[in-house]
Amino acid sequence: MTRRRAYNSAVTLQTGMRVRVKAHVMDPGYPDLPLGGWRGRIVECPEHPNHPYLVRWSRETLKHIHPVYRQRCDQDDVCFDQAWLMEGDLEPDPGGPLSLEHPPMISVDTQAACPC
């Protein structure tokens, strides 16, 4: 069964929906890594308002993410193919060409954990 949620939002995000991360959104666990333009599918919706959605990244996104993102996730033993994001960070994916935001300068050894 698909869970639906629409707490004060114009669009109802639901399990299975294809979404894109809005421009200028940073990874919650790695605040120097932008996620803007990343695409995926919602695999888990929150039970309560103000809780995050679990988004599994598309193959296309995974092919084009910055290598440091994967290195950090591997180093911290966390999932690189999905992320927990808030409703305000997501929008329905309109399709079209993939356009990922990339960080201007980042380091592999920054220690942080992403909640996977």
Side-chain angles (χ1 to χ4, degrees), residues 26-106:
M26 305 306 275
D27 184 284
Y30 305 114
D32 60 335
L33 291 171
L35 300 179
W38 291 36
R39 291 180 174 162
R41 189 176 298 273
I42 294 175
V43 294
E44 189 175 320
C45 290
E47 296 277 334
H48 305 286
N50 300 320
H51 287 167
Y53 289 78
L54 180 58
V55 177
R56 182 162 297 133
W57 303 124
S58 70
R59 285 186 203 144
E60 182 181 25
T61 296
L62 291 172
K63 282 176 30 180
H64 292 93
I65 60 174
H66 197 285
V68 170
Y69 180 80
R70 186 168 184 167
Q71 288 174 323
R72 286 189 188 171
C73 287
D74 287 347
Q75 167 186 307
D76 295 337
D77 196 29
V78 295
C79 308
F80 72 92
D81 65 341
Q82 60 189 22
W84 290 96
L85 296 168
M86 300 305 291
E87 180 177 20
D89 297 336
L90 302 170
E91 60 190 1
D93 182 10
L98 184 67
S99 178
L100 305 182
E101 293 178 357
H102 287 287
M105 295 182 356
I106 55 177

